[in-house]
């Protein structure tokens, strides 16, 4: 691994994302020894004028929640917080960034690893509207200047734009300042344990290789549900809606991993080449394969306009036009304020031809990968009902992580992805052409929704969403299985 000083700058340090995700992920990496104190320094940067101490105080409760604050944890938190320095400045003027650069350079010369190279990681926990100016400031004021090597990298969060044109504009602006290997576009779903398992499951198991195609698979569902609404985020959410918030990025990335061909190798570029091919093979979305919903009460949020047309629920069927998937619907479904919190992939196989057991009524084989909560992989099978009669029943081959990997902590997505950015591994980050292809798929539909041509159907909070979505699922060929 590379050595030398490592400066991690969290821009937008007082915002929600930084407090809830970025700093806690850095803390966990620190606790596991991935951020050695003789190399690392962390800088928070934001407009608010506060002291180092105030930032540290604000972060404390996010790092050590009161319920499990053991003495050991508290000790680690205070050591970690000492690594953090705060710099305040604006996002579009050089003064603040010059000051930041001065602080970073000072830290670099102080660390015992000063002999080595200088590594500078800029994490933009900021709204995309300021990305171009912040990137320009970093480029002008804060680049790594060491003769001994090192790097400067920027990490950007979604939403990367609002449609194809704005995303491309953003990509072009950032692309003029940084090379693609310096840009890490985070989609935190790619950091989830079971999402990372998809390529292994598919390509390291002989049994799936011959089955994974249109001859055997009837339909694929990729589902995201949350049992809470847009609480506190209505203002942001209303400008984006569920398709931009979840489907165009998180669910589409999962679809790529489920549908892509085997990459030449595990090199990031080989994997991302295959993902782009899937995205480019997706056919235009058909109107009768879309159901939108909005939960009742969503507009009560004072930051949401009274006549908002923004969907908080959507089911969209994508069709991949290639030899493997022609005719297989990929049903992407996401919703807020539903009856449960769950993200899962359901691969449903076709009926058994010439079924002598008449077991169709019990349902089909289904391969389920539950991303969260309670990570699990299971296969629904038809087996003989134990007993004297020859009757059949649906059961499961079940790999529940909680039981199988007791005591193993599954890393948080952000933790893993930040470590990848330090290591320079772009496999689990979105490449520019992937981003473009994914916006291409949804932009026509999004524009029609924005113009009010597509209306969301109201649904009750705590329900399954609009019943029209279940009807669409059935029409697409999904058969509800009845397990034991
Ligand atoms: C974010 C969305 O990207 O993902 C949120 O903006 C959503 O609206 C969140 O709640 C869900 O992430 P997770 O990891 O809890 O499934």
């Amino acid at each position: 691994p590379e050595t030398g000083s490592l400066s991690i700058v969290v821009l937008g340090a007082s915002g929600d994302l930084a407090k809830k995700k970025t700093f806690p992920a850095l803390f966990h990496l620190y606790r596991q020894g991935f951020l050695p104190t003789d190399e690392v320094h962390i800088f928070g940067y934001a407009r608010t004028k506060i002291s180092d101490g105030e930032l540290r105080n604000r972060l404390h409760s996010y790092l050590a929640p009161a319920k499990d604050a053991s003495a050991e944890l508290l000790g680690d938190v205070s050591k970690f917080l000492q690594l953090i320095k705060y710099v305040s400045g604006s996002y579009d003027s050089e003064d603040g960034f010059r000051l930041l650069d001065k602080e970073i350079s000072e830290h670099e010369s102080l660390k015992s690893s000063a002999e080595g190279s200088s590594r500078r990681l800029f994490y933009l926990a900021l709204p995309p509207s300021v990305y171009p100016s912040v990137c320009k400031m970093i480029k002008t004021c804060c680049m790594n200047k060491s003769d001994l090597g090192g790097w400067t990298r920027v990490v950007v969060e979604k939403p990367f734009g609002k449609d194809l044109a704005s995303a491309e504009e953003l990509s072009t602006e950032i692309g003029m300042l940084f090379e693609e290997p310096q840009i890490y576009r985070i989609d935190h779903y790619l950091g989830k344990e079971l999402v990372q398992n998809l390529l292994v499951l598919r390509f390291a198991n002989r049994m799936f290789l011959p089955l994974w195609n249109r001859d055997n698979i009837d339909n694929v569902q990729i589902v995201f549900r949350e049992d809470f609404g847009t609480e506190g985020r209505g203002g942001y959410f209303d400008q984006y809606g569920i398709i931009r918030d979840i489907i165009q990025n998180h669910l589409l990335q999962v679809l790529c991993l489920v549908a892509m061909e085997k990459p030449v190798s595990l090199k990031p570029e080989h994997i991302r080449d295959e993902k782009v091919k899937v995205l480019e093979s997706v056919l235009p979305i058909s109107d009768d394969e879309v159901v939108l919903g909005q939960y009742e009460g969503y507009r009560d949020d004072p930051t949401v306009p009274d006549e908002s047309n923004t969907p908080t629920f959507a089911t969209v069927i994508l069709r991949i036009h290639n030899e493997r998937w022609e005719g297989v619907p990929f049903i992407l479904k996401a919703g807020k304020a539903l009856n449960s919190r769950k993200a899962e992939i359901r691969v449903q196989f076709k009926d058994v031809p010439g079924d002598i057991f008449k077991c169709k009524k019990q349902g089909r084989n289904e391969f389920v990968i539950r991303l969260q909560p309670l990570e699990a992989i299971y296969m629904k099978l038809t087996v003989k009902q134990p007993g004297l009669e020859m009757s059949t029943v649906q059961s499961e081959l079940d790999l529940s992580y909680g039981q199988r990997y007791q005591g193993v902590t599954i890393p948080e997505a952000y933790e893993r992805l930040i470590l990848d950015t330090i290591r320079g591994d772009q496999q689990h980050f979105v490449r520019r052409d992937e981003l473009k292809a994914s916006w291409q798929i949804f932009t026509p539909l999004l524009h029609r929704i924005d113009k009010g041509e597509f209306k969301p159907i109201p649904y009750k909070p705590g329900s399954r969403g609009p019943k029209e979505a279940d009807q669409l699922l059935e029409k697409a060929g999904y058969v509800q299985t009845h397990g034991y």
Side-chain angles (χ1 to χ4, degrees):
E2 291 168 301
T3 55
S5 68
L6 172 61
S7 306
I8 300 174
V9 184
V10 181
L11 297 124
S14 46
D16 239 32
L17 176 71
K19 283 190 298 205
K20 290 188 182 150
K21 299 286 182 192
T22 323
F23 281 110
L26 289 170
F27 175 55
H28 291 138
L29 289 174
Y30 166 78
R31 279 195 106 192
Q32 294 166 79
F34 289 111
L35 303 179
T37 31
D38 60 342
E39 293 181 4
V40 176
H41 212 88
I42 298 170
F43 299 88
Y45 185 96
R47 281 179 305 203
T48 333
K49 287 201 171 35
I50 52 170
S51 64
D52 293 349
E54 271 166 286
L55 177 68
R56 291 174 189 164
N57 283 343
R58 287 186 191 188
L59 294 177
H60 198 280
S61 62
Y62 292 92
L63 306 181
K67 62 175 171 38
D68 51 18
S70 65
E72 193 201 346
L73 177 69
L74 289 173
D76 288 349
V77 169
S78 77
K79 278 187 252 160
F80 172 74
L81 288 174
Q82 290 312 308
L83 293 175
I84 303 178
K85 198 165 174 40
Y86 182 74
V87 179
S88 105
S90 78
Y91 294 124
D92 55 3
S93 76
E94 291 188 14
D95 302 350
F97 284 88
R98 295 233 175 268
L99 181 62
L100 179 63
D101 181 60
K102 190 167 144 275
E103 297 281 357
I104 299 175
S105 305
E106 248 165 52
H107 144 71
E108 286 175 344
S109 63
L110 282 177
K111 289 280 155 171
S112 57
S113 51
E115 315 295 293
S117 57
S118 131
R119 295 171 288 162
R120 297 184 173 197
L121 184 67
F122 293 87
Y123 193 111
L124 276 60
L126 291 169
S129 53
V130 297
Y131 289 174
S133 73
V134 168
C135 286
K136 192 154 170 259
M137 291 300 128
I138 296 171
K139 179 82 183 187
T140 318
C141 309
C142 300
M143 299 295 281
N144 149 41
K145 293 172 267 294
S146 166
D147 300 335
L148 295 165
W151 42 254
T152 304
R153 294 181 184 144
V154 293
V155 183
V156 285
E157 271 285 342
K158 66 156 246 278
F160 312 110
K162 284 196 80 175
D163 60 2
L164 179 60
S166 55
E168 273 295 282
E169 198 183 314
L170 198 58
S171 291
T172 306
E173 283 181 272
I174 301 178
M176 285 190 312
L177 301 163
F178 294 102
E179 303 288 332
E180 188 64 25
Q182 296 179 291
I183 307 169
Y184 287 72
R185 298 179 194 87
I186 276 207
D187 183 312
H188 79 284
Y189 266 59
L190 292 177
K192 290 190 187 277
E193 182 64 38
L194 288 213
V195 174
Q196 299 209 336
N197 203 347
L198 284 169
L199 293 192
V200 183
L201 281 173
R202 284 195 52 204
F203 299 120
N205 290 295
R206 178 69 191 241
M207 62 185 273
F208 289 126
L209 297 178
L211 294 182
W212 212 258
N213 55 42
R214 62 192 299 268
D215 299 333
N216 300 290
I217 292 176
D218 189 89
N219 60 78
V220 178
Q221 259 191 86
I222 304 174
V223 182
F224 166 96
R225 305 164 180 275
E226 262 176 355
D227 55 0
F228 49 90
T230 56
E231 285 113 49
R233 294 172 77 224
Y236 150 81
F237 189 88
D238 198 69
Q239 289 178 35
Y240 290 90
I242 198 78
I243 295 180
R244 293 181 177 98
D245 192 46
I246 304 287
I247 299 184
Q248 175 268 343
N249 33 68
H250 304 330
L251 300 195
L252 200 53
Q253 284 294 326
V254 172
L255 175 142
C256 286
L257 296 169
V258 172
M260 68 190 250
E261 297 300 315
K262 181 147 122 187
V264 177
S265 78
L266 290 177
K267 289 201 182 112
E269 298 325 320
H270 286 154
I271 293 175
R272 300 193 296 176
D273 288 348
E274 295 306 330
K275 287 165 72 188
V276 173
K277 284 186 211 159
V278 173
L279 295 170
E280 288 185 340
S281 308
V282 173
L283 295 173
I285 297 168
S286 145
D287 276 7
D288 56 2
E289 298 203 312
V290 178
V291 172
L292 304 178
Q294 187 187 75
Y295 69 84
E296 290 167 7
Y298 167 71
R299 300 180 195 176
D300 297 346
D301 180 330
T303 56
V304 171
D306 292 343
E307 67 296 350
S308 169
N309 198 34
T310 302
T312 59
F313 173 100
T315 298
V316 180
I317 297 181
L318 296 188
R319 301 204 172 252
I320 301 171
H321 183 63
N322 67 16
E323 200 175 316
R324 187 184 290 275
W325 296 118
E326 169 102 50
V328 180
F330 281 75
I331 306 155
L332 306 190
K333 179 158 117 184
K336 300 246 171 208
L338 296 179
N339 54 351
S340 62
R341 176 175 177 257
K342 200 186 268 187
E344 63 184 11
I345 305 163
R346 308 187 82 93
V347 179
Q348 187 165 79
F349 288 84
K350 290 183 187 283
D351 291 329
V352 172
D355 166 26
I356 54 171
F357 294 104
K358 313 229 175 340
C359 57
K360 199 170 164 187
K361 62 180 186 321
Q362 272 136 16
R364 298 162 157 178
N365 289 145
E366 203 168 326
F367 183 52
V368 184
I369 300 153
R370 189 161 64 227
L371 309 180
Q372 66 190 33
L374 307 176
E375 291 85 349
I377 300 169
Y378 58 94
M379 177 65 121
K380 294 199 172 189
L381 300 176
T382 300
V383 296
K384 179 181 168 303
Q385 168 93 57
L388 292 174
E389 304 302 330
M390 175 49 92
S391 57
T392 58
V393 70
Q394 271 260 327
S395 190
E396 287 158 9
L397 282 180
D398 185 358
L399 171 59
S400 286
Y401 274 43
Q403 283 161 17
R404 186 70 184 80
Y405 299 113
Q406 273 177 27
V408 177
T409 312
I410 295 182
E412 258 285 306
Y414 276 96
E415 220 173 295
R416 193 182 319 243
L417 294 175
I418 292 177
L419 189 60
D420 285 348
T421 62
I422 298 170
R423 291 175 168 167
D425 181 352
Q426 289 194 306
Q427 174 175 331
H428 304 294
F429 293 82
V430 182
R431 202 167 66 184
R432 179 172 173 175
D433 52 349
E434 261 180 271
L435 179 66
K436 180 175 178 193
S438 61
W439 277 118
Q440 238 147 9
I441 295 171
F442 286 103
T443 295
L445 173 64
L446 288 166
H447 281 173
R448 293 187 51 204
I449 299 173
D450 292 346
K451 281 194 226 141
E453 290 172 15
F454 232 111
K455 293 268 184 244
I457 303 165
Y459 63 94
K460 295 246 174 296
S463 69
R464 287 178 52 82
K467 63 174 185 330
E468 287 80 352
D470 285 335
Q471 290 159 358
L472 177 60
L473 214 69
E474 226 171 275
K475 207 175 115 211
Y478 181 75
V479 176
Q480 188 73 43
T481 52
H482 300 286
Y484 59 102

